[in-house]
Amino acid sequence: MVYLNGEFMPIERAKISVLDRGFIFGDGVYEVIPVYSRRPFRLEEHLVRLRSSLEAIKIGNPHENAKWGELVGRIIAGNPWEDQNVYLQITRGVAKRDHAFPKGLKPTVFMMASELIPPTPELMETGAAAIVLPDFRWLRCDIKSTSLLGNCMLRTQAAEAGCAEAILVREGMLTEASASNVFIVRNGTVLAPPKSHLILPGITYDVVLEILRANAIAHEVRPVGESELRSAEEVWVTSSSREVLPITTLDGRPVGRGENAGKPGPVAKRVHDLYQQFKLSVMRAPVHA
Ligand SMILES: Cc1ncc(COP(=O)(O)O)c(C=O)c1O
């Protein structure tokens, strides 16, 4: 079951105009909210990010948070999986094709769900492969825009190289990956590039930083150079669907040195375990009205 503009319906019935600015210009924003045991994870934080994406492109937020919560709850209830990705998209709406934002449009609101399948234990054992590519996207990667052509091109290049992810570098500095944030470990310290217009402020990124802080794991949020990425002891990508996934080869070369080379490192394993515990604790917490 999906939701479109006030109605719940089977996906086959969900239809929009070809003049929708989401179709014509990619003029819209989105969120993907992970759901565990039918409970949304970090819903408030996703709704805060949605609000700032909408503000950045001057679309009025169609709903208050309480209403969003209710709609997300109904989508969860209307779909068969215990663990889901709830996808939510808002476009500016339907208008005659003209680049400048027309005023007074009714935004198109769409939601759907899919099964959430986190990385398998086997993948966590081996880690994933990534390639490093130049970040040629625009300069407002902090907006969770549906215009994802750059990300799609980069991810396709990674897939064609047999890799799970493309890790991106702009002017010699690590930004993020095509659909995830990136952390590295150097000299035992976890390093994360700071939030800026050049990266998406990941909800998982924030959870990981909270976990590092709460467990006194050495870390620094600071710009990370490409050479630091390439000589890191560990590299991980984080996202709602991939959680904390170790990258064990970069451009075909093993990440790390010595006995850990090409294998998930100890810090990644620890943070992954802490992330699982954190998820469980949130799922067991009482539900607030
Ligand atoms: C470009 C990009 N960066 C980072 C992320 C991670 O964000 P989150 O942790 O909120 O899933 C995503 C998620 O899809 C993304 O597309």
Side-chain angles (χ1 to χ4, degrees):
M1 184 185 75
V2 304
Y3 171 89
L4 181 64
N5 296 333
E7 263 187 83
F8 291 89
M9 60 187 80
I11 195 157
E12 299 73 33
R13 263 193 50 219
K15 301 273 189 296
I16 59 159
S17 163
V18 291
L19 284 179
D20 192 285
R21 287 179 61 97
F23 180 62
I24 297 283
F25 292 118
D27 183 359
V29 298
Y30 75 108
E31 274 299 324
V32 181
I33 303 160
V35 172
Y36 302 108
S37 304
R38 296 200 176 269
R39 291 174 67 171
F41 183 66
R42 294 257 150 163
L43 178 61
E44 286 295 318
E45 289 80 356
H46 280 277
L47 294 177
V48 167
R49 186 171 66 185
L50 176 66
R51 185 171 292 275
S52 56
S53 293
L54 286 167
E55 274 169 9
I57 69 164
K58 299 189 167 67
I59 294 181
N61 195 338
H63 302 300
E64 293 299 325
N65 283 4
K67 177 71 178 175
W68 279 123
E70 181 200 318
L71 293 175
V72 168
R74 288 185 63 185
I75 280 287
I76 296 170
N79 282 285
W81 313 284
E82 290 298 299
D83 295 349
Q84 306 180 14
N85 299 296
V86 171
Y87 176 91
L88 183 170
Q89 165 169 340
I90 301 157
T91 75
R92 197 173 307 277
V94 178
K96 181 168 159 288
R97 186 179 182 280
D98 180 11
H99 287 60
F101 297 160
K103 292 220 168 24
L105 297 188
K106 190 170 174 299
T108 301
V109 181
F110 173 63
M111 294 168 70
M112 64 179 169
S114 59
E115 186 175 14
L116 190 165
I117 303 172
T120 59
E122 295 74 40
L123 182 58
M124 291 308 300
E125 272 302 307
T126 57
I131 52 173
V132 181
L133 293 176
D135 191 347
F136 57 66
R137 302 171 304 161
W138 69 333
L139 299 175
R140 289 305 308 273
C141 297
D142 57 317
I143 302 172
K144 203 161 169 62
S145 161
T146 57
S147 311
L148 287 173
L149 189 53
N151 304 59
C152 293
M153 289 168 73
L154 292 158
R155 175 59 78 81
T156 303
Q157 220 177 309
E160 283 170 357
C163 290
E165 190 50 300
I167 294 184
L168 308 177
V169 169
R170 196 192 284 266
E171 292 174 357
M173 304 307 288
L174 168 66
T175 53
E176 58 175 346
S178 74
S180 46
N181 291 108
V182 181
F183 290 73
I184 70 165
V185 178
R186 282 180 67 83
N187 304 319
T189 299
V190 182
L191 302 178
K195 288 182 186 171
S196 75
H197 283 175
L198 302 182
I199 71 172
L200 186 80
I203 305 299
T204 321
Y205 168 103
D206 282 342
V207 174
V208 167
L209 285 176
E210 273 175 43
I211 287 174
L212 296 173
R213 242 176 269 130
N215 293 277
I217 299 172
H219 65 281
E220 263 179 75
V221 176
R222 63 143 172 94
V224 174
E226 178 174 356
S227 57
E228 294 185 294
L229 165 71
R230 290 191 183 276
S231 57
E233 287 139 34
E234 298 186 22
V235 176
W236 334 321
V237 293
T238 68
S239 75
S240 295
S241 53
R242 285 180 158 169
E243 303 183 336
V244 179
L245 177 65
I247 297 298
T248 44
T249 68
L250 262 191
D251 290 343
R253 285 186 285 276
V255 173
R257 285 179 293 276
E259 60 178 35
N260 279 329
K263 293 193 206 139
V267 192
K269 283 189 190 154
R270 177 153 181 232
V271 174
H272 175 264
D273 290 350
L274 289 165
Y275 190 85
Q276 300 309 315
Q277 285 168 27
F278 184 84
K279 256 169 50 182
L280 284 175
S281 69
V282 171
M283 275 146 44
R284 288 203 198 103
V287 184
H288 298 291

